[in-house]
Amino acid sequence: MNSELNPTAASLLGFLHDEPMSGWDLVARAQQRIGEFWSLTQSQVYRELARMAEDGLVEAGEPGTRARKVYEITDEGRRAFADWVSRPPREEAIRFPLLLVLAFGRHVPKEMLASYLARHRIMHADRLAEYQGERAAMPPQYEEMDPYSVATLEFGISYEEAVLRWFDNLPKQMTDPADRTG
Amino acid sequence: MNSELNPTAASLLGFLHDEPMSGWDLVARAQQRIGEFWSLTQSQVYRELARMAEDGLVEAGEPGTRARKVYEITDEGRRAFADWVSRPPREEAIRFPLLLVLAFGRHVPKEMLASYLARHRIMHADRLAEYQGERAAMPPQYEEMDPYSVATLEFGISYEEAVLRWFDNLPKQMTDPADRTG
DNA sequence: TGGTACATGTAACATGTTACATGATTAG
DNA sequence: CTAATCATGTAACATGTTACATGTACCA
C-alpha cells in the first residue's frame, strides 16, 4: 500500500499538482516537459495511474467524452509526492548506444561508424536548435515565473552544446574515414 | 536461438574480443571502460553470459581456481557481435532524477532542493577530476593506439564540464535560498 | 584466525518496451 | 464517408535492480 513511489509515478503526480489530467494528456505533457531527461511510454503511464488509483494517490473523475478518464491528485497523493521529494535523488543514468559502438570501434567497419556518427550529430544539432527555439520563445518574465522550467531547458541546451562540441573535436579519421588529405 | 543481441550482451562480447574473461572480470572492465555511459550489474552479466553460452556465442573454458569460469567468444559470437554493430544505434536515454525534482521545484522545499543541487555538483566535480586524471595519465601515443577509448573518455569530460557549467549558472536563489544579498 | 576481496549464482520483483486490440470523435 | 487523431487499455516479454546464498583464497 504505502510502497515507495518510483520516479515515473512521482512525475505524474507532479503534473497532477497543476490540474487534473488524463493519461493521454500526461504522456504528452511529460514528453514535452521532462522527456529530455526522463522518458516514459504510454503503457507505463496507464499502468502507474491504475496502480496509484488503487492506492488512493489519484482519483478518476467522471469519464468525459470518448471514455476519457481525468485523474485528480488526492491528499494522500500529495503526501506521497512530498515523501518522494524528500528522498535524495540518485545519480543520473546515461545509456548511450552510439558510445558503446564507438568504444568497440576497433571491431567496427570504419565507414559504418562514421555514418552513425554523422547521423547522430545531425540529431543532436536538431535538438539543440529546438531547445534554443523554445528558450528564445520564452517571454522575459518567464524566468521569474517558472525558473525551474528554464533551468531544465538550459540543462538540455548545455548538454546538447557539449555533445556537438565533442562530435566536432573527434579525430577526422573517425568521421571522415575516406578522406586522406592532411 | 538467433534472437538479437541487446547492447549489454553485445558489450560483453566486445570485451571478449580481446581475451577470455570471467563474469567477475567483465563486470569490472565494463564499469571501468563503459560505465560512464552504460551501466550494468553483476547479476545481469551472469544472466547474459549464461544465455549466450546456451546460444553458443561464448564458451566456458576449464573452471580455474575458485570455481572461476572463463568465457571465450566463439565464431558465432563474433558473428552476432558484427550483426549487432551493423544495426544503427538508437538515441541515448538519460534518466536524471535530480532534474526531475528540479522540474517540479515549485513543489519542493527550497532548502532541500538546494542541498540536492550542492551534493550533485560535488559528485560531478569529482567525476570530472577523475576523468581528467585518467586523460592526463594516458601516454601520448595512446591516441593513435586506441583513439576510441580516448574519444569515449573525452565524451565524459565534455559532459561533466557542461554539467558543472550548468550548475554554476543556475540562479542563485536555487543554490543559495537563504542568501538574501544582491 | 579473521577480515577482505574474489567469484558465481538464484530469486523475486520492478520497470521498460513493443505490439496489439478496441473504439470514439473530428476535420476535410 | 474516410482518414487522422484522440483515448484507453492489455499482453507478452525484455531488461534492470536488489537482496540474498554460498563458498574460496589471500593477507595481515
Side-chain angles (χ1 to χ4, degrees):
Chain A
M1 182 140 279
N2 237 5
S3 61
E4 317 245 289
L5 230 44
N6 66 46
T8 297
S11 72
L12 300 180
L13 288 183
F15 290 122
L16 292 177
H17 273 73
D18 299 330
E19 53 178 324
M21 267 182 279
S22 67
W24 183 267
D25 295 337
L26 282 164
V27 172
R29 179 148 324 180
Q31 273 165 4
Q32 190 219 337
R33 294 256 287 264
I34 59 173
E36 198 187 303
F37 48 82
W38 199 269
S39 72
L40 36 69
T41 60
Q42 233 176 20
S43 62
Q44 244 180 309
V45 168
Y46 287 115
R47 182 165 61 191
E48 296 298 343
L49 282 173
R51 187 192 312 192
M52 291 196 291
E54 242 180 59
D55 293 350
L57 309 185
V58 297
E59 250 171 30
E62 308 291 299
T65 171
R66 251 190 261 211
R68 184 184 159 87
K69 266 195 228 164
V70 171
Y71 289 91
E72 197 168 347
I73 188 169
T74 64
D75 286 342
E76 214 186 319
R78 263 178 277 265
R79 230 175 295 134
F81 181 83
D83 283 354
W84 174 73
V85 154
S86 72
R87 268 172 285 135
R90 301 192 165 193
E91 292 190 51
E92 79 271 31
I94 302 185
R95 316 203 111 221
F96 208 146
L98 175 69
L99 292 182
L100 216 46
V101 178
L102 182 63
F104 298 111
R106 272 187 302 152
H107 312 299
V108 180
K110 286 193 194 321
E111 305 289 344
M112 199 177 264
L113 188 53
S115 78
Y116 294 162
L117 288 169
R119 193 165 152 252
H120 281 256
R121 192 197 179 286
I122 289 171
M123 295 192 304
H124 284 279
D126 288 350
R127 280 228 294 258
L128 175 59
E130 202 185 301
Y131 293 160
Q132 282 171 333
E134 280 177 54
R135 183 74 180 87
M138 279 182 174
Q141 67 275 26
Y142 207 91
E143 204 125 1
E144 282 124 73
M145 267 174 50
D146 187 2
Y148 306 107
S149 298
V150 177
T152 54
L153 180 55
E154 271 174 354
F155 175 83
I157 292 173
S158 289
Y159 171 76
E160 295 298 344
E161 283 174 347
V163 173
L164 277 185
R165 233 175 300 126
W166 174 77
F167 271 115
D168 292 337
N169 288 325
L170 284 173
K172 269 178 237 38
Q173 324 84 277
M174 270 184 214
T175 49
D176 258 320
D179 186 34
R180 288 274 168 272
T181 51
Chain B
M1 181 140 282
N2 236 4
S3 61
E4 318 245 291
L5 230 43
N6 66 45
T8 296
S11 72
L12 300 180
L13 289 182
F15 290 121
L16 292 177
H17 273 74
D18 299 331
E19 52 177 327
M21 267 182 279
S22 67
W24 183 268
D25 295 337
L26 282 164
V27 171
R29 178 146 326 180
Q31 272 164 5
Q32 190 219 338
R33 294 256 287 264
I34 59 173
E36 197 188 305
F37 48 82
W38 198 269
S39 72
L40 34 69
T41 61
Q42 233 177 19
S43 62
Q44 244 180 309
V45 168
Y46 287 115
R47 181 165 62 190
E48 296 298 342
L49 282 174
R51 188 193 313 192
M52 291 197 292
E54 242 181 59
D55 293 351
L57 309 186
V58 297
E59 251 170 29
E62 308 293 298
T65 173
R66 249 190 262 210
R68 184 185 159 87
K69 265 193 228 164
V70 172
Y71 289 91
E72 197 168 347
I73 189 168
T74 63
D75 287 342
E76 214 185 320
R78 264 178 275 267
R79 230 174 294 133
F81 180 84
D83 282 355
W84 174 73
V85 154
S86 72
R87 267 171 285 135
R90 301 193 165 192
E91 292 189 50
E92 80 272 30
I94 301 183
R95 314 203 112 220
F96 208 147
L98 175 70
L99 291 182
L100 216 46
V101 178
L102 182 64
F104 298 111
R106 272 187 302 153
H107 312 299
V108 179
K110 286 191 195 321
E111 305 288 344
M112 198 177 265
L113 188 54
S115 79
Y116 294 161
L117 289 169
R119 194 165 152 254
H120 281 256
R121 193 198 176 286
I122 290 171
M123 296 192 304
H124 284 279
D126 289 349
R127 281 228 293 257
L128 175 58
E130 201 186 302
Y131 293 160
Q132 281 171 334
E134 282 178 53
R135 184 73 181 86
M138 279 181 174
Q141 67 274 28
Y142 208 92
E143 205 124 4
E144 282 122 72
M145 268 174 50
D146 187 1
Y148 305 107
S149 297
V150 178
T152 54
L153 180 55
E154 271 174 352
F155 175 83
I157 292 174
S158 290
Y159 170 76
E160 295 299 344
E161 283 175 346
V163 173
L164 277 185
R165 232 175 300 127
W166 173 77
F167 271 114
D168 292 336
N169 287 324
L170 284 173
K172 269 178 239 31
Q173 324 85 276
M174 270 184 214
T175 49
D176 256 321
D179 185 34
R180 288 271 168 274
T181 50

